[in-house]
Amino acid sequence: MPPDGDLTGRKLIKVAGIVQGVGFRPFVYNLACGLNLSGHVFNHSAGVDIEVEGAQEALARFERDLTRMAPPLAHIISVTSAVIPAKGSKSFTIVESQSAGPKSALIAPDSDVCGDCLRELFDPSDRRHRYPFINCTNCGPRFTIVTAIPYDRPNTTMDSFVMCADCRAEYGNPADRRFHAQPIACPVCGPKVALLDSSFNPAPDTDAIRGAARLLSDGAILAIKGIGGYHLACDAQNEEALLKLRARKRRDEKPFAVMTPDIATLRLFADVSDSEAAILQSRQHPITLVKKLLPSALGSCAPSNRYLGAMLPYSPLHHLLFDDRPYNALVMTSANLSDEPIVYTEEEAKEKLAGIADYFLVHDRPIHNKADDSIEKVMSHGSVVIRRSRGYTPVPIQLDREYPPTLAVGAELKNAFCLIKGDKAYLSAHMGDLKYESALESFRFGVERLMEILDIAKPTAVAYDMHPNYLSTVFAEEFPCERKIAVQHHHAHLVSLMAERHKTDPAIGVVFDGTGYGLDGTIWGGEFLVGDPGGFERHGTITPLPLIGGDAAIKEPYRIALGVLFGMYGEGLPPLPIEWLENMEPNRLTLLRQAYDRRINTFYSHGVGRLFDAVSALIGVRPKASFEGQSAMELEMAVANGYHGNYPFVIGGDGTPAKLDFTPTFARIVEDMKRGESVPVIAARFHETVAQGALAMVGMISGKTGLKDVFLSGGVFQNTVLSDRLGTLLETDGFAVFRHGRVPPNDGGVALGQAVIAARTLI
Ligand code: ZN
Ligand code: ZN
Ligand code: FE
């Protein structure tokens, strides 16, 4: 053993971050043994502690390689090291978990199956050949199967499976790549798949997965239990099956996500850039929006949509379903009715999917934390997460300091909530639209579960949106906690981005959004704020547009366009080349006119989403939408390539707030329409106008305040054309531009901003 003298020593090294359940202890073990160091490593609820003893040179090398060579799923936040007295230990050991003390250890997100496991999966001589639950310390399910921390087998849904002798040997062997892989399993001891018919009785096939693949290629609809919930699947090139699925799921036009076996196959259907391919193949394996090749061979997967939501197989089961290539692409859409939350238990599947799926491919490894597939879109500044779920949760956002435990309940439509514990903010998985009873229920349940997993008995404060009717607000009002903190919607958007980018200094926020409750009780949504987590001022907004029929105008944007035309022309409309207007019954036109004139169920919205809706309707792209945001989205997709100039706009008002007025824009759009200008060119000019308008407004605010940092947040920045163009314009003018990446720009990110704003008032 090491000779005496100062050539040897012992060190205590504490590692914090995602270091449990990712093969960190075996990695440490192998690193220490390889350097001839003795000591031990153990998991505890706050991270991993290591004591190493041996030659100084080896100790230095150990510390360097500890972070440099850490396993792929590890996410190290901090490493501290101290010299301690030598103990003369003889070997290096892994000590069992200690479960006492505060629970703050982080849990890894779910990961796609790794290359090593894939090779074994298709190796006929391997004992896990074609075993759909193959995993190792570098891959497999994590957060979705965790029931408590620290992350150890008894705290996962694998608890009920007793390891066989072979698995136990691998699990206990430090040289094995499954050493302490908590979800370890094999065909002898682990979970099993089963193919069931529509009434949940076993189907006759002996091989469930081959049977499922055969049914899919024959045009059947299958409910398939995955990592975070069920998918509804069918052959994406079988139009009949697609139409059947749409009808049964009551989903007329909303796009279905598609899974192809690999990038090469996806390229038969879509134009996939290198950065998109990288996202598709990342650990998270999100749904990635890629440009469809036209005419599309995937008929009604994503009708009237230039993009296709695509993903690659991420679980071993997916890979097996594509073995032998019975089809080129599968629809893999979250199993739910309409927009309800994803189904994730067998009971729910039986109850809710009975009328939709012809067969069920199920398994007996329970999902504890459900998670939809995450959705991403690549823009010029990087990839933007639009729906944050599987693969990302529960990776926390690092905050500037420690805060008292805070719960933020988020908005309503694309709800996600957030919990702050210590110096980290945990943004939940996508919960969906809380107006659905089932979504509200899973939100309540999700809050409870995450508090339990993070060991927060009671938050010090609960933050909520100022909108009095949001169901999240109602939940916050009833939540047993003394401090309730209301946060303005767009302030929360701005601060969600500041938190993501680790900024706290005052800056200009351009928050372009659909709908948000303003301080004055009106609907805001195109806001130019100056603020920080401590507060904000509203320096500018866009001139509000009339929504005839109130909320009905969100799905029928022609009502907004009509209101704009009424405003433009006063009494009586001249003949205009607008199809829906020409076809409108005179009685209906009179009725809408009266509603507008007398302000019956007609209110005004500052939302930029509504501005895009109005233009989309006006030029005939999408006068009526089948889901929120569809009109605006299709307007973006209509944009012609290249530069086509812009329309006029006006900045008015006395500056408190200043008003960015697009009335002259509408007048010129109508002129262009009369001249027979093409829709793509008008759409391009309109996008350029909004970007130029925002640039002018930011320039004005910067002139007054001297601020040069600009944050772009709000759901409208899912629009790549606008985000890219405004970013370029601002950067050209010398501004530092910050945009979203891993935190959604839409309401899925609002809870993070709420939490940070509220937590700051507690210190
Ligand atoms: Zn693996
Ligand atoms: Zn086994
Ligand atoms: Fe919003």
Side-chain angles (χ1 to χ4, degrees):
M1 282 297 8
D4 290 336
D6 40 11
L7 287 177
T8 68
R10 189 176 181 93
K11 281 197 158 179
L12 169 63
I13 300 168
K14 290 174 170 288
V15 187
I18 298 178
V19 286
Q20 295 184 5
V22 294
F24 202 76
R25 285 176 305 169
F27 155 70
V28 169
Y29 176 92
N30 288 319
L31 188 61
C33 293
L35 292 167
N36 211 7
L37 295 168
S38 65
H40 62 252
V41 56
F42 68 91
N43 269 352
H44 57 87
S45 40
V48 165
D49 279 8
I50 308 162
E51 285 190 24
V52 270
E53 186 169 330
Q56 294 292 0
E57 202 181 304
L59 286 174
R61 179 118 176 246
F62 178 86
E63 282 193 70
R64 200 188 59 219
D65 289 351
L66 187 64
T67 45
R68 212 170 53 103
M69 292 164 60
L73 294 189
H75 177 76
I76 295 172
I77 292 173
S78 71
V79 180
T80 60
S81 138
V83 176
I84 56 168
K87 292 178 182 170
S89 46
K90 298 274 178 274
S91 60
F92 196 91
T93 51
I94 293 180
V95 181
E96 271 316 297
S97 281
Q98 322 248 313
S99 59
K103 299 179 186 172
S104 66
L106 305 174
I107 303 159
D110 301 284
S111 156
D112 67 320
V113 58
C114 75
D116 290 335
C117 286
L118 262 187
R119 269 187 293 280
E120 289 180 3
L121 183 67
F122 291 106
D123 175 0
S125 68
D126 193 273
R127 70 185 194 91
R128 291 187 180 85
H129 179 228
R130 293 187 62 87
Y131 181 57
F133 303 96
I134 190 169
N135 67 77
C136 71
T137 49
N138 292 333
C139 79
R142 291 292 185 276
F143 181 62
T144 51
I145 62 166
V146 166
T147 56
I149 51 173
Y151 175 74
D152 253 339
R153 189 147 167 130
N155 291 339
T156 70
T157 61
M158 286 300 294
D159 185 32
S160 57
F161 297 93
V162 180
M163 277 182 233
C164 69
D166 287 341
C167 284
R168 194 186 311 279
E170 291 169 339
Y171 184 86
N173 174 9
D176 195 277
R177 63 184 198 87
R178 293 195 173 85
F179 179 53
H180 283 224
Q182 307 305 343
I184 189 172
C186 78
V188 175
C189 67
K192 289 179 173 51
V193 280
L195 183 61
L196 308 175
D197 67 17
S198 60
S199 23
F200 248 65
N201 294 316
D205 270 284
T206 45
D207 183 320
I209 297 170
R210 286 207 166 95
R214 196 174 318 121
L215 289 165
L216 284 166
S217 64
D218 286 348
I221 294 171
L222 265 73
I224 300 173
K225 186 178 177 184
I227 301 293
Y230 277 76
H231 282 117
L232 284 166
C234 71
D235 180 349
Q237 290 187 280
N238 183 328
E239 190 64 16
E240 208 178 308
L242 272 171
L243 294 176
K244 193 165 67 174
L245 179 56
R246 276 203 189 279
R248 292 187 190 169
K249 212 171 132 86
R250 288 182 236 147
R251 189 167 185 168
D252 296 339
E253 295 190 48
K254 218 168 173 176
F256 285 140
V258 162
M259 184 180 274
T260 59
D262 45 43
I263 296 276
T265 311
L266 179 57
R267 286 193 163 127
L268 301 174
F269 307 113
D271 183 8
V272 185
S273 71
D274 289 347
S275 42
E276 285 159 348
I279 297 295
L280 281 159
Q281 296 173 94
S282 66
R283 282 276 165 195
Q284 291 81 13
H285 265 58
I287 294 172
T288 307
L289 299 180
V290 289
K291 265 208 183 120
K292 242 176 14 186
L293 292 181
L294 296 173
S296 177
L298 297 173
S300 47
C301 282
S304 60
N305 199 325
R306 198 190 278 184
Y307 290 100
L308 182 68
M311 63 181 150
L312 300 180
Y314 55 85
S315 83
L317 179 65
H318 297 153
H319 285 276
L320 292 170
L321 284 172
F322 279 104
D323 192 26
D324 305 333
R325 285 299 180 92
Y327 24 71
N328 278 323
L330 286 176
V331 162
M332 287 289 259
T333 182
S334 296
N336 52 15
L337 254 184
S338 197
D339 291 323
E340 289 190 43
I342 187 167
V343 164
Y344 74 115
T345 64
E346 282 60 74
E347 298 75 64
E348 270 186 313
K350 213 167 160 177
E351 181 198 321
K352 297 194 168 168
L353 307 178
I356 304 178
D358 299 315
Y359 293 90
F360 293 81
L361 185 60
V362 302
H363 63 74
D364 56 354
R365 182 176 70 198
I367 297 168
H368 189 73
N369 304 299
K370 68 175 159 191
D372 283 276
D373 295 311
S374 293
I375 304 179
E376 296 192 43
K377 193 177 185 190
V378 175
M379 300 192 190
S380 67
H381 72 284
S383 172
V384 179
V385 175
I386 287 169
R387 183 167 79 190
R388 189 179 178 281
S389 251
R390 180 187 49 74
Y392 287 110
T393 47
V395 179
I397 291 104
Q398 185 65 35
L399 303 176
D400 59 325
R401 51 160 292 164
E402 298 223 348
Y403 292 98
T406 306
L407 167 67
V409 297
E412 183 174 87
L413 190 62
K414 285 180 177 161
N415 181 274
F417 59 89
C418 183
L419 273 164
I420 289 182
K421 184 182 183 180
D423 58 358
K424 292 176 184 67
Y426 298 83
L427 187 57
S428 81
H430 165 81
M431 293 285 133
D433 183 352
L434 299 187
K435 282 194 287 293
Y436 290 97
E437 184 54 45
S438 49
L440 188 59
E441 208 173 287
S442 76
F443 159 81
R444 287 199 197 102
F445 191 60
V447 169
E448 218 169 274
R449 268 203 176 164
L450 195 58
M451 278 179 33
E452 208 175 273
I453 290 172
L454 294 173
D455 198 28
I456 298 174
K458 192 180 167 187
T460 305
V462 55
Y464 61 96
D465 194 281
M466 281 181 174
H467 199 303
N469 300 335
Y470 276 1
L471 291 165
S472 49
T473 302
V474 176
F475 172 88
E477 280 163 355
E478 291 165 0
F479 192 79
C481 163
E482 287 81 51
R483 296 279 306 260
K484 311 267 168 96
I485 298 162
V487 179
Q488 200 280 321
H489 189 85
H490 305 99
H491 185 210
H493 269 301
L494 166 61
V495 176
S496 75
L497 178 53
M498 290 186 138
E500 179 181 6
R501 300 298 174 199
H502 311 292
K503 298 283 178 191
T504 51
D505 291 336
I508 299 170
V510 179
V511 184
F512 277 3
D513 203 17
T515 298
Y517 201 77
L519 293 179
D520 55 5
T522 66
I523 299 303
W524 293 9
E527 308 304 319
F528 296 85
L529 309 180
V530 168
D532 60 26
F536 76 98
E537 284 171 7
R538 189 188 193 203
H539 279 244
T541 185
I542 71 158
T543 300
L545 299 177
L547 272 56
I548 304 176
D551 280 340
I554 291 175
K555 280 204 175 173
E556 295 179 352
Y558 74 86
R559 291 164 177 270
I560 313 172
L562 190 60
V564 169
L565 293 173
F566 286 153
M568 254 165 70
Y569 291 102
E571 293 292 310
L573 295 179
L576 295 165
I578 302 171
E579 208 182 300
W580 53 263
L581 190 58
E582 286 165 352
N583 294 339
M584 195 180 282
E585 300 267 323
N587 286 348
R588 176 149 182 80
L589 188 60
T590 310
L591 210 70
L592 292 169
R593 177 87 217 192
Q594 284 169 352
Y596 173 81
D597 287 342
R598 300 179 200 160
R599 293 244 188 154
I600 303 165
N601 197 18
T602 293
F603 58 76
Y604 282 77
S605 165
H606 295 268
V608 181
R610 302 293 87 85
L611 174 69
F612 277 76
D613 282 349
V615 172
S616 178
L618 184 67
I619 66 176
V621 170
R622 175 64 60 175
K624 267 189 181 187
S626 72
F627 54 93
E628 205 246 0
Q630 187 186 19
S631 297
M633 199 174 82
E634 289 182 14
L635 183 65
E636 177 197 347
M637 293 187 291
V639 171
N641 289 332
Y643 179 76
H644 300 275
N646 63 286
Y647 297 117
F649 57 87
V650 176
I651 292 181
D654 57 2
T656 54
K659 295 218 173 60
L660 177 53
D661 189 350
F662 291 105
T663 308
T665 310
F666 280 104
R668 287 286 296 278
I669 289 176
V670 171
E671 277 177 37
D672 264 358
M673 291 169 74
K674 285 182 182 161
R675 288 195 301 109
E677 188 56 271
S678 76
V679 163
V681 167
I682 298 178
R685 284 178 184 156
F686 169 69
H687 276 75
E688 181 69 18
T689 307
V690 176
Q692 293 287 353
L695 174 72
M697 191 70 116
V698 168
M700 195 188 81
I701 295 168
S702 175
K704 276 198 291 184
T705 59
L707 296 170
K708 281 289 185 188
D709 286 354
V710 184
F711 288 74
L712 309 184
S713 188
V716 173
F717 285 111
Q718 287 169 208
N719 182 319
T720 309
V721 175
L722 180 67
S723 173
D724 286 357
R725 182 62 180 153
L726 180 54
T728 305
L729 289 173
L730 286 166
E731 278 165 356
T732 308
D733 275 12
F735 291 100
V737 182
F738 298 89
R739 280 169 282 190
H740 282 275
R742 300 251 159 132
V743 173
N746 57 46
D747 283 6
V750 157
L752 173 63
Q754 291 176 345
V756 170
I757 291 165
R760 281 181 74 91
T761 67
L762 304 175
I763 50 168

